[in-house]
């Protein structure tokens, strides 16, 4: 469903209490329109008016407190939008994963445009939005991040073995890949990686592989004519029924219906 590809909204809170430590599979880009937000993301930092806050998918974070907050936010699935880890638009998120402070300052002359982008995207999502239009909104906002002031504060970041595992999954995740394969790529034992990966991302390696493949399934359903049975084989599922079950659990509809909802190019499968 559209909300799993990209969502947009805003939040106004006079005083924000601490929220539980957590992760989410989508990447999130927030913009502080006013007020301040204290956040734990490897280390404690404060985001203030005119700043972007970047949270890559799978990275643990905690909202500690906030006051007089007005925040615009956008969540998006990079794979669903055809964005890979080496995409220029995702480089700020990659830097955060490697240790950059997840806050960027927007120049004053760009603030009004960015606020308008968020507002127009939120309004557009109230109706059925063509995928190419949705993509345009996401890409424009990500471009604004690339224009913001780069972080100068660095922290320890995600554990390097988990970064190595995520990089391997990004490049090899559409092939038959096991936990042992990922562990070998990170030069650690499979049990150690399983524990570490779960602690750092909130997901098991298997769950992350499934997320990667489902995101690519969305991308191919949108942009190709490939029959669903062929996609199943290309993306590493053992059978079509299992794929359809996992896809429906993630997106609420079958792959065939999802394809019909999001484009008119693919076969019903």
């Amino acid at each position: 469903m559209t909300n799993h590809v990209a969502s947009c909204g805003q939040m106004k809170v006079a005083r924000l209490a601490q929220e539980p430590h957590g992760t989410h599979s989508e990447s999130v880009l927030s913009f502080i329109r006013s007020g301040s937000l204290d956040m734990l993301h490897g280390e404690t930092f404060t985001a203030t008016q005119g700043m972007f806050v970047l949270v890559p998918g799978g990275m643990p974070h905690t909202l500690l407190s906030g006051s007089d907050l007005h925040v615009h936010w956008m969540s998006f699935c990079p794979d669903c939008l055809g964005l890979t880890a080496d995409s220029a638009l995702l480089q700020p998120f990659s830097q955060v994963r490697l240790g950059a402070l997840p806050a960027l300052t927007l120049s004053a002359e760009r603030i009004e445009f960015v606020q308008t982008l968020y507002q127009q995207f939120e309004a557009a999502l109230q109706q059925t939005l063509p995928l190419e239009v949705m993509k345009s909104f996401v890409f424009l906002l990500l471009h604004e991040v690339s224009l913001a002031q780069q972080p100068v504060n660095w922290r320890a970041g995600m554990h390097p073995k988990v970064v190595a595992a995520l990089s391997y999954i990004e490049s090899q995740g559409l092939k038959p890949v096991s936990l042992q394969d990922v562990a070998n790529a990170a030069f650690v034992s499979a049990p150690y990686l399983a524990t570490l990966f779960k602690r750092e991302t909130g997901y098991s390696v298997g769950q992350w592989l499934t997320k990667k493949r489902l995101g690519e399934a969305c991308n191919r359903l949108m942009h190709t004519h490939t029959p669903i049975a062929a996609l199943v084989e290309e993306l590493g599922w053992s059978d079509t029924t299992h794929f359809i079950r996992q896809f429906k659990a993630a997106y609420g509809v079958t792959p065939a219906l999802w394809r019909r909802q999001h484009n008119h190019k693919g076969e019903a499968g």
Side-chain angles (χ1 to χ4, degrees), residues 98-133:
L98 292 172
L101 191 71
L104 299 170
T105 302
L106 188 64
S107 60
E109 62 268 19
R110 307 298 298 176
I111 289 177
E112 184 176 354
F113 177 63
V114 165
Q115 290 175 172
T116 300
L117 269 179
Y118 272 108
Q119 291 168 337
Q120 291 299 315
F121 191 16
E122 182 181 0
L125 285 171
Q126 300 306 308
Q127 304 175 15
T128 301
L129 193 62
L131 253 297
E132 292 307 312
V133 177

Side-chain angles (χ1 to χ4, degrees), residues 16-30:
L16 179 70
Q18 180 170 333
E19 295 188 1
H21 184 73
T23 64
H24 36 68
S25 59
E26 296 82 10
S27 294
V28 177
L29 174 64
S30 300

Side-chain angles (χ1 to χ4, degrees), residues 80-81 131 217-224 258 262-263 265:
C80 302
L81 295 168
L131 253 297
C218 291
N219 184 37
R220 297 190 189 189
L221 287 168
M222 277 190 261
H223 300 298
T224 75
W258 197 94
H262 289 83
N263 76 33
K265 300 177 184 179

Side-chain angles (χ1 to χ4, degrees), residues 247-267:
F247 192 97
K248 189 171 182 179
Y251 301 112
V253 295
T254 65
L257 179 55
W258 197 94
R259 171 176 263 169
R260 289 197 296 271
Q261 289 175 338
H262 289 83
N263 76 33
H264 302 289
K265 300 177 184 179
E267 302 295 334

Side-chain angles (χ1 to χ4, degrees), residues 235-258:
L235 298 176
W237 271 273
S238 56
D239 64 81
T240 303
T241 300
H242 184 50
F243 165 69
I244 292 174
R245 187 182 302 116
Q246 287 193 319
F247 192 97
K248 189 171 182 179
Y251 301 112
V253 295
T254 65
L257 179 55
W258 197 94

